[in-house]
mmCIF file of all heavy atoms in Angstrom:
data_model
loop_
_atom_site.group_PDB
_atom_site.id
_atom_site.type_symbol
_atom_site.label_atom_id
_atom_site.label_comp_id
_atom_site.label_asym_id
_atom_site.label_seq_id
_atom_site.Cartn_x
_atom_site.Cartn_y
_atom_site.Cartn_z
ATOM 1 N N LEU A 2 -3.402 -7.625 -8.802
ATOM 2 C CA LEU A 2 -2.746 -6.358 -9.095
ATOM 3 C C LEU A 2 -2.131 -5.795 -7.819
ATOM 4 O O LEU A 2 -2.657 -6.009 -6.737
ATOM 5 C CB LEU A 2 -3.763 -5.335 -9.615
ATOM 6 C CG LEU A 2 -4.483 -5.635 -10.918
ATOM 7 C CD1 LEU A 2 -5.643 -4.660 -11.094
ATOM 8 C CD2 LEU A 2 -3.525 -5.543 -12.088
ATOM 9 N N THR A 3 -1.052 -5.059 -7.959
ATOM 10 C CA THR A 3 -0.507 -4.292 -6.852
ATOM 11 C C THR A 3 -0.966 -2.852 -7.062
ATOM 12 O O THR A 3 -0.649 -2.243 -8.088
ATOM 13 C CB THR A 3 1.037 -4.361 -6.831
ATOM 14 O OG1 THR A 3 1.420 -5.729 -6.710
ATOM 15 C CG2 THR A 3 1.594 -3.564 -5.673
ATOM 16 N N LEU A 4 -1.727 -2.339 -6.109
ATOM 17 C CA LEU A 4 -2.291 -0.995 -6.218
ATOM 18 C C LEU A 4 -1.650 -0.075 -5.195
ATOM 19 O O LEU A 4 -1.510 -0.434 -4.021
ATOM 20 C CB LEU A 4 -3.808 -1.043 -5.976
ATOM 21 C CG LEU A 4 -4.535 0.297 -5.885
ATOM 22 C CD1 LEU A 4 -4.438 1.067 -7.202
ATOM 23 C CD2 LEU A 4 -5.988 0.081 -5.497
ATOM 24 N N ILE A 6 -2.153 4.018 -4.097
ATOM 25 C CA ILE A 6 -2.868 5.281 -4.272
ATOM 26 C C ILE A 6 -2.190 6.316 -3.385
ATOM 27 O O ILE A 6 -2.112 6.148 -2.164
ATOM 28 C CB ILE A 6 -4.355 5.149 -3.870
ATOM 29 C CG1 ILE A 6 -5.036 4.035 -4.663
ATOM 30 C CG2 ILE A 6 -5.072 6.487 -4.080
ATOM 31 C CD1 ILE A 6 -6.464 3.744 -4.240
ATOM 32 N N VAL A 18 -4.953 -6.182 -4.995
ATOM 33 C CA VAL A 18 -6.389 -6.118 -5.290
ATOM 34 C C VAL A 18 -6.684 -6.962 -6.529
ATOM 35 O O VAL A 18 -5.789 -7.276 -7.313
ATOM 36 C CB VAL A 18 -6.872 -4.658 -5.520
ATOM 37 C CG1 VAL A 18 -6.667 -3.813 -4.277
ATOM 38 C CG2 VAL A 18 -6.175 -4.032 -6.712
ATOM 39 N N GLU A 19 -7.949 -7.309 -6.698
ATOM 40 C CA GLU A 19 -8.386 -8.074 -7.880
ATOM 41 C C GLU A 19 -8.601 -7.172 -9.084
ATOM 42 O O GLU A 19 -8.309 -7.539 -10.218
ATOM 43 C CB GLU A 19 -9.685 -8.824 -7.567
ATOM 44 C CG GLU A 19 -9.529 -9.951 -6.561
ATOM 45 C CD GLU A 19 -8.730 -11.125 -7.101
ATOM 46 O OE1 GLU A 19 -8.786 -11.394 -8.316
ATOM 47 O OE2 GLU A 19 -8.032 -11.762 -6.294
ATOM 48 N N ALA A 20 -9.178 -5.964 -8.846
ATOM 49 C CA ALA A 20 -9.511 -5.046 -9.930
ATOM 50 C C ALA A 20 -9.630 -3.636 -9.369
ATOM 51 O O ALA A 20 -9.821 -3.445 -8.167
ATOM 52 C CB ALA A 20 -10.827 -5.450 -10.588
ATOM 53 N N VAL A 21 -9.513 -2.647 -10.266
ATOM 54 C CA VAL A 21 -9.639 -1.238 -9.891
ATOM 55 C C VAL A 21 -10.501 -0.553 -10.943
ATOM 56 O O VAL A 21 -10.259 -0.704 -12.151
ATOM 57 C CB VAL A 21 -8.268 -0.526 -9.863
ATOM 58 C CG1 VAL A 21 -8.411 0.910 -9.380
ATOM 59 C CG2 VAL A 21 -7.263 -1.277 -9.020
ATOM 60 N N LYS A 22 -11.506 0.201 -10.508
ATOM 61 C CA LYS A 22 -12.302 1.032 -11.418
ATOM 62 C C LYS A 22 -11.942 2.479 -11.157
ATOM 63 O O LYS A 22 -11.902 2.916 -10.000
ATOM 64 C CB LYS A 22 -13.802 0.842 -11.175
ATOM 65 C CG LYS A 22 -14.351 -0.437 -11.710
ATOM 66 C CD LYS A 22 -15.856 -0.475 -11.558
ATOM 67 C CE LYS A 22 -16.396 -1.829 -11.985
ATOM 68 N NZ LYS A 22 -17.845 -1.934 -11.778
ATOM 69 N N VAL A 23 -11.650 3.213 -12.235
ATOM 70 C CA VAL A 23 -11.246 4.610 -12.105
ATOM 71 C C VAL A 23 -12.067 5.505 -13.029
ATOM 72 O O VAL A 23 -12.507 5.063 -14.095
ATOM 73 C CB VAL A 23 -9.739 4.785 -12.406
ATOM 74 C CG1 VAL A 23 -8.877 4.073 -11.373
ATOM 75 C CG2 VAL A 23 -9.384 4.301 -13.795
ATOM 76 N N PHE A 30 -13.338 3.321 -16.390
ATOM 77 C CA PHE A 30 -12.848 2.049 -16.921
ATOM 78 C C PHE A 30 -12.275 1.203 -15.795
ATOM 79 O O PHE A 30 -11.948 1.696 -14.728
ATOM 80 C CB PHE A 30 -11.835 2.250 -18.059
ATOM 81 C CG PHE A 30 -10.563 2.972 -17.684
ATOM 82 C CD1 PHE A 30 -9.428 2.270 -17.329
ATOM 83 C CD2 PHE A 30 -10.498 4.361 -17.735
ATOM 84 C CE1 PHE A 30 -8.247 2.931 -17.007
ATOM 85 C CE2 PHE A 30 -9.333 5.028 -17.422
ATOM 86 C CZ PHE A 30 -8.202 4.320 -17.054
ATOM 87 N N GLU A 31 -12.207 -0.108 -16.077
ATOM 88 C CA GLU A 31 -11.748 -1.068 -15.086
ATOM 89 C C GLU A 31 -10.400 -1.636 -15.495
ATOM 90 O O GLU A 31 -10.163 -1.927 -16.670
ATOM 91 C CB GLU A 31 -12.769 -2.195 -14.947
ATOM 92 C CG GLU A 31 -12.463 -3.160 -13.839
ATOM 93 C CD GLU A 31 -13.602 -4.137 -13.568
ATOM 94 O OE1 GLU A 31 -14.373 -4.430 -14.508
ATOM 95 O OE2 GLU A 31 -13.707 -4.597 -12.433
ATOM 96 N N ILE A 32 -9.526 -1.808 -14.518
ATOM 97 C CA ILE A 32 -8.200 -2.374 -14.739
ATOM 98 C C ILE A 32 -8.174 -3.747 -14.076
ATOM 99 O O ILE A 32 -8.463 -3.874 -12.886
ATOM 100 C CB ILE A 32 -7.114 -1.468 -14.132
ATOM 101 C CG1 ILE A 32 -7.181 -0.073 -14.768
ATOM 102 C CG2 ILE A 32 -5.736 -2.089 -14.312
ATOM 103 C CD1 ILE A 32 -6.476 0.999 -13.979
ATOM 104 N N LEU A 33 -7.853 -4.761 -14.868
ATOM 105 C CA LEU A 33 -7.775 -6.139 -14.382
ATOM 106 C C LEU A 33 -6.349 -6.660 -14.554
ATOM 107 O O LEU A 33 -5.522 -6.025 -15.207
ATOM 108 C CB LEU A 33 -8.747 -7.027 -15.158
ATOM 109 C CG LEU A 33 -10.227 -6.638 -15.088
ATOM 110 C CD1 LEU A 33 -11.031 -7.429 -16.092
ATOM 111 C CD2 LEU A 33 -10.768 -6.827 -13.686
ATOM 112 N N THR A 34 -6.086 -7.829 -14.015
ATOM 113 C CA THR A 34 -4.768 -8.465 -14.155
ATOM 114 C C THR A 34 -4.387 -8.563 -15.633
ATOM 115 O O THR A 34 -5.226 -8.852 -16.478
ATOM 116 C CB THR A 34 -4.797 -9.867 -13.521
ATOM 117 O OG1 THR A 34 -5.184 -9.730 -12.149
ATOM 118 C CG2 THR A 34 -3.433 -10.529 -13.581
ATOM 119 N N VAL A 48 -13.047 6.117 -7.175
ATOM 120 C CA VAL A 48 -12.141 4.995 -7.422
ATOM 121 C C VAL A 48 -12.668 3.824 -6.596
ATOM 122 O O VAL A 48 -12.936 3.976 -5.407
ATOM 123 C CB VAL A 48 -10.699 5.340 -6.997
ATOM 124 C CG1 VAL A 48 -9.793 4.123 -7.137
ATOM 125 C CG2 VAL A 48 -10.154 6.501 -7.815
ATOM 126 N N GLU A 49 -12.850 2.663 -7.236
ATOM 127 C CA GLU A 49 -13.360 1.483 -6.541
ATOM 128 C C GLU A 49 -12.335 0.358 -6.605
ATOM 129 O O GLU A 49 -11.794 0.078 -7.673
ATOM 130 C CB GLU A 49 -14.656 1.000 -7.186
ATOM 131 C CG GLU A 49 -15.793 2.001 -7.114
ATOM 132 C CD GLU A 49 -17.049 1.485 -7.801
ATOM 133 O OE1 GLU A 49 -17.385 0.295 -7.614
ATOM 134 O OE2 GLU A 49 -17.671 2.268 -8.533
ATOM 135 N N TYR A 50 -12.098 -0.292 -5.449
ATOM 136 C CA TYR A 50 -11.180 -1.432 -5.392
ATOM 137 C C TYR A 50 -11.557 -2.302 -4.198
ATOM 138 O O TYR A 50 -11.806 -1.794 -3.114
ATOM 139 C CB TYR A 50 -9.720 -0.962 -5.285
ATOM 140 C CG TYR A 50 -9.441 -0.077 -4.101
ATOM 141 C CD1 TYR A 50 -8.933 -0.605 -2.920
ATOM 142 C CD2 TYR A 50 -9.703 1.283 -4.147
ATOM 143 C CE1 TYR A 50 -8.686 0.195 -1.829
ATOM 144 C CE2 TYR A 50 -9.457 2.103 -3.064
ATOM 145 C CZ TYR A 50 -8.944 1.549 -1.903
ATOM 146 O OH TYR A 50 -8.705 2.356 -0.818
ATOM 147 N N ASP A 51 -11.665 -3.587 -4.405
ATOM 148 C CA ASP A 51 -11.975 -4.559 -3.346
ATOM 149 C C ASP A 51 -13.122 -4.123 -2.436
ATOM 150 O O ASP A 51 -13.022 -4.188 -1.212
ATOM 151 C CB ASP A 51 -10.722 -4.841 -2.510
ATOM 152 C CG ASP A 51 -9.768 -5.795 -3.214
ATOM 153 O OD1 ASP A 51 -10.089 -6.249 -4.327
ATOM 154 O OD2 ASP A 51 -8.702 -6.092 -2.649
ATOM 155 N N VAL A 62 -3.382 7.962 -13.553
ATOM 156 C CA VAL A 62 -3.198 6.535 -13.290
ATOM 157 C C VAL A 62 -2.152 6.004 -14.261
ATOM 158 O O VAL A 62 -2.111 6.405 -15.425
ATOM 159 C CB VAL A 62 -4.523 5.730 -13.431
ATOM 160 C CG1 VAL A 62 -5.094 5.842 -14.824
ATOM 161 C CG2 VAL A 62 -4.321 4.259 -13.052
ATOM 162 N N VAL A 69 -0.456 -0.894 -10.510
ATOM 163 C CA VAL A 69 -1.321 0.257 -10.782
ATOM 164 C C VAL A 69 -0.961 1.355 -9.786
ATOM 165 O O VAL A 69 -1.028 1.139 -8.575
ATOM 166 C CB VAL A 69 -2.808 -0.105 -10.647
ATOM 167 C CG1 VAL A 69 -3.690 1.082 -10.973
ATOM 168 C CG2 VAL A 69 -3.160 -1.299 -11.543
ATOM 169 N N LEU A 71 -1.830 5.287 -8.691
ATOM 170 C CA LEU A 71 -2.724 6.432 -8.801
ATOM 171 C C LEU A 71 -2.150 7.588 -8.009
ATOM 172 O O LEU A 71 -1.806 7.436 -6.830
ATOM 173 C CB LEU A 71 -4.115 6.112 -8.242
ATOM 174 C CG LEU A 71 -5.118 5.426 -9.163
ATOM 175 C CD1 LEU A 71 -4.730 4.001 -9.421
ATOM 176 C CD2 LEU A 71 -6.498 5.523 -8.601
#
Side-chain angles (χ1 to χ4, degrees):
L2 297 168
T3 301
L4 173 63
I6 303 174
V18 298
E19 292 291 328
V21 184
K22 284 186 185 177
V23 295
F30 62 95
E31 186 171 28
I32 301 162
L33 301 169
T34 303
V48 175
E49 297 179 43
Y50 57 96
D51 282 359
V62 60
V69 182
L71 275 71

